[in-house]
Amino acid sequence: MDDNGVECDEDYLVARLMGLLTEETRKISFITGSGVSLGAIPGVDGIVDKMRTIPRLVQDKMLLERQLKGLSGGQKYQKAAATLKRIRGQDAVNLAIRLAVLDACTGLRQEQRTVLAEQGGRKALQAAEFDTGLWKLTPAVEHLGLLLRAMPAHRRGPVITTNFDPLLEIAVRKAGGRANVQYLDFDGRVQHTEDEDAVNIVHVHGYWREGDTLHTLDQLTAERPELTDSLRSALRDHAVVVVGYSGWEDAFSRSLLERVRAKDHLGIDLIWCSYKKLAAAVEEAPLLLELQKAPRWTFYEGIDAHRTFPKLFAGYSTAVQSPPGWTRIDRDLLDNLAAEEHTSEEIESFFDGREPGWRDALDARIPRLSVVGKLTGDMHRCLNGTIDKRVVAAVGPMGEGKSIALRQAAVDLVRRRDDITVLWREHRTPLEVRTVLSVPERPGHHILLVTDQGADFINELRQLMAACEEEGRRDIRVLLTAQSREWRSLGGFRHLAHYTKAVSSFGLEDRDCEALVQAWEGLGVLGELAKTPQDERVGALLSLSRANYGRQDSSLVGAMLQLRYGPLLREHVRNLLDRLADHPAVETTSLVQCFLMIALLHVAYNFENEKCSPLSLRVLGRVVGLEDDYLVEEAVAAPLGREAAVSEAEHGLWIRHRSIAEAALFISGERNPGELAELIRKLVTAAVELSKETSEFPDDLYAAAYLCRGLSHRDNRHLKLENEAVAAARAAVAAAPRRLSFRTALMMTLRVTGRRDQALDVGQETCRELESMSDRESDVTFIQEWGTLAGQDGKYSLNALLDAVAVHRSRDPQHIISGLLKMGLALTELHRSTGEAVFLDALRAAVGLLAGKVNPGESSRRYDKYLDNHKTYLAAAGCTPLMGTDSWAALQAAVDRLLPAAPSAMAPLLTKGSLSVLPPLELR
């Protein structure tokens, strides 16, 4: 009974759907029509009104009105569309639909919506669609989106809709999910996406911003054999729920009817929800008379979708205890997944570095490493109260098997305990405290949250733990993985120590190596390791993994690749690049080029530099022309992940191993010289442009904008990327000519790549323009780099003077220390070449001033070496460091000795031709 006391079937329908959702295992597919969008999108009369606004000439308006006279409902709508098409063409009909759809975009003013509909291109319309906060959703659409997001992916069939609007996609995204959009503007097949987690939404009458939309009788009734045929497999053995769709006589409805009738599809259950009584619905859609003859057709009347779907979602959320974006991992789910085919080729791709999935975690052919036992053991102790901790954190370097260990541990916990509900956080789902606490507490039962990329949620976990204590919730536990660098730098060890048992030993043990080698032997994927005697294979894996552990890249993935491919690794990467070349381009950028850009940031990554970062989705998106991270993930990260090429970690995209990245860059240089330089220019420019828009320079933008530093680092010299490093530096300067730090980076890059003359030219030009630079706080770094460059070029007088300027201008004690150390290099050479005592005394002064300020082990090895060399030189000269108040005077005397010969390029750094070496008083 509805709110007005009228009999309806809502309770029966909710009971039926709840049973399907919670007690059965078949897939559920939804078919939706305009009824679910009504209230946000205009109805038939409203769309006709939009069509009326398109013709501008009076005689054209009269033509349209003449055809509509005396008509109503669907007839009026079809006649309006057909007439408008004859008067203005299909584009005019499409425009009317855009105008109607944008009525739901209430975050924009009416005039903005009109301009967007009439003048907005594909990207502008797409950008509006993906800004989910702009849109008004009906209760039916909003809660259907939440339901689809909350349902396990293996239970979701396709959502098929006759609507043109994107409200369902928006609802899915607002719920934290991904929507895979298909539209058929004539005939076509319902496709199966390879992204298991995405919600497949198929628009069978067209889509509001792509292709054409179908309205007229001849369009809607035309034969669609591909659609008819593809529904055979798309809906096989599904429960199909029709809601908000009247079922009028069109090609899609006939296709659906054929599928219900077909003898080989007797397993289909068709659940038809109608706002109207059955008699009225049949009068509007005679097709329903035919459907009544089907054995598995049930009609529910009096259904208000805007009331029913909120009620259904609330009941489902309570029943499964799974918030949106969290998948409940139970034994039924694991049994169903274990029953699916898992080929040896798929397992081999895992050993090649593919990110693991649940089928990998369930397959006994993939061994459980010893860390899995540590994780499950600690979690059992947490659950049993043996240790007073609420979080078990697997913390280790990237690529050491944390992700597969996490899934395997979750599987083992589900299999062994009846007192836990395991909730797996799906990718891109936030960890919201209130959402987690909304899961009801059950006596004697625990809720276990399991998440990869745990370093992203340190603050949220702190808040969750505090809220649990405040509200007396002792039932919530967390099992997570995190990269050790991020976990440490973001405060995981510090802020969560009270709650956390960390498992941080991820090196391979003897038994791990034995299990891995046995697995490779059993699958026949030993590769080059087969050439090693059988009794030496385990030792080879153990030695290699231990030698690599703790370095920048994974010892596990690296050891697997090196042992199994050896000298053939480059050929393996060639084959990978060839496969990627067969994928469709992303806008105008090939998937190979996307892979190479990720590889460039990977090899530039320096484990010791906290500003380093892999390539982020937003920078890559700016390069390829996709503004939403979701789109980049779908178009780039997902296919690269399936090819075992890339993984998405806490802060960006990584090649599965550095050796693969290096091989790919080498092959690119062979196949297409100049390709990398062009990609670098695009990457750097994109990062600089984004930094201008945000007025910030977070790590991902910094890493790409200063890519030259990573490419020219001494660890990468074997890659011979000197030209590419210079291209990166010049691209940054071109994108932001007034940024001093980019000029400094260009000088450094030119210097370390052997282009000192060019670097000196940049230094002199920049000094002349110093007053116009935007980041004057970078003065000291620029001056010190210029001084280093001058010293390496044998210009020791300029070297000493520039370091003196740097010391004088420094506001940071560390800059003063580095300036004095570097100045000491120049003073040593000046004394060695001239024998003048003024330079020796100045060196004595520099060493004396540094006494007690450069502590071995705390400063860099290079600075330690500088100071040791200075002391050695003084000892050889029979001198001791100069201490006390005379030290600065001795340094100033050396500066005054050099100043008359100072080059004119230094003039902007001098004050009326003079130069003081003294730093600010508080730093002396």
Side-chain angles (χ1 to χ4, degrees):
M1 185 172 293
D2 65 15
D3 294 338
N4 298 315
V6 178
E7 288 291 329
C8 67
D9 292 332
E10 181 180 86
D11 290 341
Y12 299 102
L13 174 64
V14 171
R16 176 77 181 280
L17 295 181
M18 282 293 295
L20 282 170
L21 289 164
T22 60
E23 299 173 10
E24 298 191 26
T25 58
R26 72 170 69 191
K27 288 191 174 184
I28 303 172
S29 182
F30 291 89
I31 295 175
T32 69
S34 59
V36 299
S37 299
L38 193 61
I41 305 295
V44 168
D45 290 337
I47 295 178
V48 171
D49 288 340
K50 299 294 184 185
M51 293 179 180
R52 283 179 162 132
T53 66
I54 304 301
R56 301 297 174 87
L57 300 176
V58 174
Q59 57 268 35
D60 293 342
K61 289 182 179 290
M62 292 176 63
L63 272 176
L64 178 58
E65 293 300 330
R66 192 181 310 143
Q67 293 298 316
L68 301 183
K69 189 174 182 180
L71 299 179
S72 62
Q75 288 183 327
K76 183 177 182 181
Y77 170 84
Q78 289 193 358
K79 180 60 73 172
T83 304
L84 181 59
K85 182 180 177 185
R86 295 184 71 184
I87 295 172
R88 284 290 180 271
Q90 180 66 43
D91 287 343
V93 181
N94 295 340
L95 172 58
I97 294 304
R98 290 199 298 274
L99 288 167
V101 168
L102 284 170
D103 273 3
C105 191
T106 55
L108 298 179
R109 300 189 306 276
Q110 179 61 58
E111 57 268 28
Q112 291 176 304
R113 299 199 294 267
T114 301
V115 171
L116 182 60
E118 294 178 347
Q119 302 176 22
R122 178 178 173 225
K123 287 188 177 181
L125 294 171
Q126 184 184 60
E129 177 182 319
F130 277 83
D131 191 348
T132 56
L134 295 177
W135 295 81
K136 172 186 177 182
L137 299 179
T138 65
V141 169
E142 179 182 2
H143 288 86
L144 179 53
L146 287 166
L147 181 64
L148 290 166
R149 179 67 175 95
M151 288 173 62
H154 72 285
R155 297 289 313 283
R156 280 198 308 257
V159 180
I160 301 173
T161 181
T162 57
N163 295 344
F164 313 116
D165 63 75
L167 296 192
L168 193 49
E169 286 85 348
I170 291 167
V172 169
R173 292 179 191 126
K174 286 189 75 171
R178 297 196 295 278
N180 179 61
V181 184
Q182 300 177 50
Y183 67 94
L184 308 177
D185 56 4
F186 183 59
D187 200 9
R189 304 186 64 82
V190 176
Q191 302 289 338
H192 296 278
T193 178
E194 293 183 354
D195 186 346
E196 294 178 351
D197 292 328
V199 179
N200 289 321
I201 303 174
V202 185
H203 294 260
V204 293
H205 288 171
Y207 197 47
W208 78 291
R209 60 175 173 81
E210 299 281 359
D212 294 331
T213 50
L214 310 184
H215 311 268
T216 64
L217 191 62
D218 60 338
Q219 289 174 328
L220 295 172
T221 58
E223 292 295 325
R224 305 177 76 175
E226 289 190 32
L227 173 61
T228 300
D229 183 65
S230 66
L231 286 176
R232 181 186 306 274
S233 59
L235 299 181
R236 183 188 300 272
D237 295 328
H238 284 42
V240 179
V241 183
V242 180
V243 59
Y245 176 57
S246 61
W248 57 330
E249 191 73 17
D250 63 1
F252 169 67
S253 295
R254 288 199 307 272
S255 299
L256 179 62
L257 177 59
E258 290 179 26
R259 297 281 57 81
V260 175
R261 283 175 173 169
K263 291 182 179 179
D264 60 339
H265 282 69
L266 292 179
I268 287 181
D269 275 2
L270 188 61
I271 298 169
W272 198 287
C273 313
S274 175
Y275 187 73
K276 298 181 178 180
K277 296 286 187 179
L278 177 58
V282 169
E283 183 177 352
E284 182 176 296
L287 168 80
L288 298 181
L289 283 173
E290 295 293 317
L291 284 173
Q292 288 183 74
K293 302 172 185 177
R296 287 182 170 268
W297 179 78
T298 310
F299 186 90
Y300 295 86
E301 62 185 18
I303 301 302
D304 181 351
H306 300 313
R307 189 179 65 181
T308 300
F309 273 99
K311 185 175 181 179
L312 177 64
F313 175 70
Y316 178 72
S317 298
T318 300
V320 300
Q321 300 180 323
S322 177
W326 294 81
T327 297
R328 182 177 180 178
I329 309 300
D330 56 26
R331 293 172 187 172
D332 288 340
L333 170 64
L334 297 179
D335 289 344
N336 289 333
L337 289 171
E340 295 181 4
E341 182 183 11
H342 196 213
T343 66
S344 57
E345 290 78 11
E346 290 175 305
I347 299 176
E348 182 177 4
S349 73
F350 166 77
F351 288 126
D352 283 346
R354 173 179 55 78
E355 283 290 291
W358 287 111
R359 290 191 299 172
D360 301 308
L362 289 161
D363 199 311
R365 291 171 292 179
I366 296 176
R368 276 163 164 68
L369 303 183
S370 55
V371 71
V372 177
K374 297 175 184 177
L375 291 176
T376 55
D378 283 339
M379 184 49 68
H380 280 306
R381 286 187 282 276
C382 285
L383 293 167
N384 296 336
T386 308
I387 56 175
D388 187 21
K389 299 292 182 183
R390 299 187 183 186
V391 180
V392 174
V395 181
M398 182 181 68
E400 294 295 342
K402 298 188 302 300
S403 294
I404 184 64
L406 183 71
R407 290 177 185 262
Q408 289 173 330
V411 167
D412 292 348
L413 288 163
V414 169
R415 295 284 196 212
R416 296 173 188 173
R417 299 189 72 115
D418 295 320
D419 62 342
I420 58 172
T421 294
V422 175
L423 300 178
W424 173 269
R425 186 190 68 85
E426 299 294 348
H427 186 55
R428 299 181 67 81
T429 297
L431 200 163
E432 296 175 338
V433 174
R434 285 295 108 195
T435 300
V436 171
L437 293 177
S438 70
V439 180
E441 187 174 4
R442 295 162 57 189
H445 201 82
H446 300 281
I447 297 163
L448 177 59
L449 308 177
V450 186
T451 179
D452 219 334
Q453 302 182 2
D456 282 348
F457 305 110
I458 290 171
N459 288 333
E460 291 85 347
L461 287 168
R462 292 176 67 189
Q463 295 167 14
L464 176 62
M465 296 299 104
C468 285
E469 289 184 349
E470 182 178 344
E471 299 185 16
R473 291 289 296 264
R474 300 289 302 171
D475 60 321
I476 296 175
R477 299 290 185 273
V478 181
L479 176 64
L480 62 83
T481 64
Q483 286 191 40
S484 48
R485 179 175 182 256
E486 281 78 14
W487 187 256
R488 181 177 295 104
S489 64
L490 296 173
F493 287 118
R494 184 169 69 255
H495 297 310
L496 292 172
H498 177 69
Y499 306 103
T500 302
K501 176 67 171 68
V503 177
S504 54
S505 176
F506 270 82
L508 292 181
E509 298 181 3
D510 290 17
R511 58 179 176 170
D512 298 332
C513 295
E514 291 175 7
L516 285 168
V517 171
Q518 288 176 5
W520 299 342
E521 290 172 345
L523 290 164
V525 296
L526 279 170
E528 291 295 290
L529 187 58
K531 298 175 182 178
T532 300
Q534 188 172 18
D535 61 347
E536 297 178 12
R537 293 169 184 169
V538 172
L541 175 57
L542 185 62
S543 297
L544 187 57
S545 65
R546 286 181 175 174
N548 290 337
Y549 184 77
R551 295 187 178 182
Q552 184 160 309
D553 267 292
S554 149
S555 65
L556 175 57
V557 175
M560 291 193 299
L561 290 170
Q562 291 176 56
L563 287 176
R564 293 176 52 241
Y565 287 100
L568 300 180
L569 180 61
R570 193 166 287 178
E571 188 61 30
H572 170 67
V573 177
R574 289 184 199 276
N575 293 334
L576 170 63
L577 294 176
D578 290 341
R579 293 199 307 274
L580 295 180
D582 292 334
H583 286 259
V586 184
E587 299 295 316
T588 59
T589 306
S590 72
L591 203 62
V592 172
Q593 291 172 323
C594 293
F595 178 75
L596 291 172
M597 286 186 277
I598 299 167
L600 285 163
L601 264 294
H602 190 126
V603 301
Y605 184 88
N606 183 346
F607 186 75
E608 296 177 351
N609 184 352
E610 290 191 359
K611 294 293 287 183
C612 277
S613 173
L615 182 57
S616 66
L617 293 175
R618 64 169 168 172
V619 175
L620 182 55
R622 175 57 65 94
V623 175
V624 302
L626 297 175
E627 295 184 4
D628 194 281
D629 283 0
Y630 162 81
L631 292 174
V632 185
E633 192 172 70
E634 183 179 80
V636 181
L640 287 175
R642 288 190 290 271
E643 292 286 359
V646 164
S647 65
E648 187 176 353
E650 273 92 346
H651 301 294
L653 298 167
W654 297 91
I655 305 299
R656 288 303 293 155
H657 193 264
R658 181 185 172 93
S659 59
I660 295 176
E662 291 185 1
L665 298 180
F666 176 83
I667 294 166
S668 171
E670 274 190 334
R671 289 180 170 180
N672 190 3
E675 178 182 37
L676 293 179
E678 181 57 30
L679 294 176
I680 285 167
R681 281 189 282 271
K682 292 180 179 180
L683 265 177
V684 172
T685 302
V688 176
E689 288 176 349
L690 284 168
S691 71
K692 292 177 181 177
E693 294 172 10
T694 62
S695 301
E696 296 176 350
F697 231 129
D699 289 354
D700 66 323
L701 303 186
Y702 183 95
Y706 293 95
L707 180 58
C708 60
R709 293 180 176 173
L711 295 180
S712 61
H713 192 271
R714 59 182 177 276
D715 291 343
N716 286 325
R717 287 174 189 167
H718 65 287
L719 298 177
K720 302 187 186 311
L721 295 173
E722 291 87 356
N723 292 335
E724 288 76 11
V726 172
R730 292 196 184 280
V733 172
R738 298 295 99 190
R739 188 174 179 89
L740 182 58
S741 59
F742 286 158
R743 302 282 190 101
T744 305
L746 174 58
M747 291 169 60
M748 181 273 294
T749 305
L750 291 169
R751 172 174 61 82
V752 300
T753 58
R755 298 163 169 84
R756 289 177 185 161
D757 288 345
Q758 296 179 42
L760 286 167
D761 289 343
V762 172
Q764 293 175 13
E765 179 185 355
T766 302
C767 190
R768 288 194 293 270
E769 301 174 356
L770 200 57
E771 292 300 321
S772 67
M773 293 295 158
S774 60
D775 53 330
R776 291 300 304 278
E777 68 277 6
S778 300
D779 282 8
V780 172
T781 305
F782 159 70
I783 293 166
Q784 286 188 334
E785 170 57 38
W786 190 9
T788 299
L789 172 63
Q792 290 186 3
D793 202 49
K795 298 177 173 60
Y796 300 117
S797 296
L798 177 60
N799 183 179
L801 288 172
L802 288 170
D803 283 326
V805 174
V807 169
H808 176 66
R809 294 192 174 201
S810 291
R811 295 296 183 271
D812 182 343
Q814 290 304 311
H815 282 162
I816 296 176
I817 291 171
S818 65
L820 290 172
L821 285 167
K822 292 177 180 179
M823 190 176 181
L825 295 172
L827 292 168
T828 299
E829 295 301 328
L830 287 168
H831 179 258
R832 183 178 282 131
S833 61
T834 67
E836 295 185 32
V838 66
F839 300 125
L840 184 62
D841 289 342
L843 178 61
R844 293 173 60 209
V847 174
L849 289 167
L850 291 167
K853 293 184 173 62
V854 180
N855 300 314
E858 295 182 7
S859 57
S860 72
R861 290 190 299 272
R862 182 177 52 178
Y863 284 3
D864 292 342
K865 183 178 179 181
Y866 286 174
L867 187 58
D868 288 342
N869 289 342
H870 297 341
K871 291 178 178 177
T872 299
Y873 188 84
L874 291 180
C879 298
T880 58
L882 183 62
M883 313 294 287
T885 57
D886 294 335
S887 299
W888 288 112
L891 280 172
Q892 187 65 52
V895 169
D896 293 341
R897 164 68 180 79
L898 296 170
L899 198 56
S904 59
M906 275 194 66
L909 302 177
L910 306 178
T911 304
K912 297 181 179 180
S914 64
L915 170 61
S916 170
V917 73
L918 290 175
L921 181 62
E922 68 274 13
L923 296 176
R924 294 177 196 172

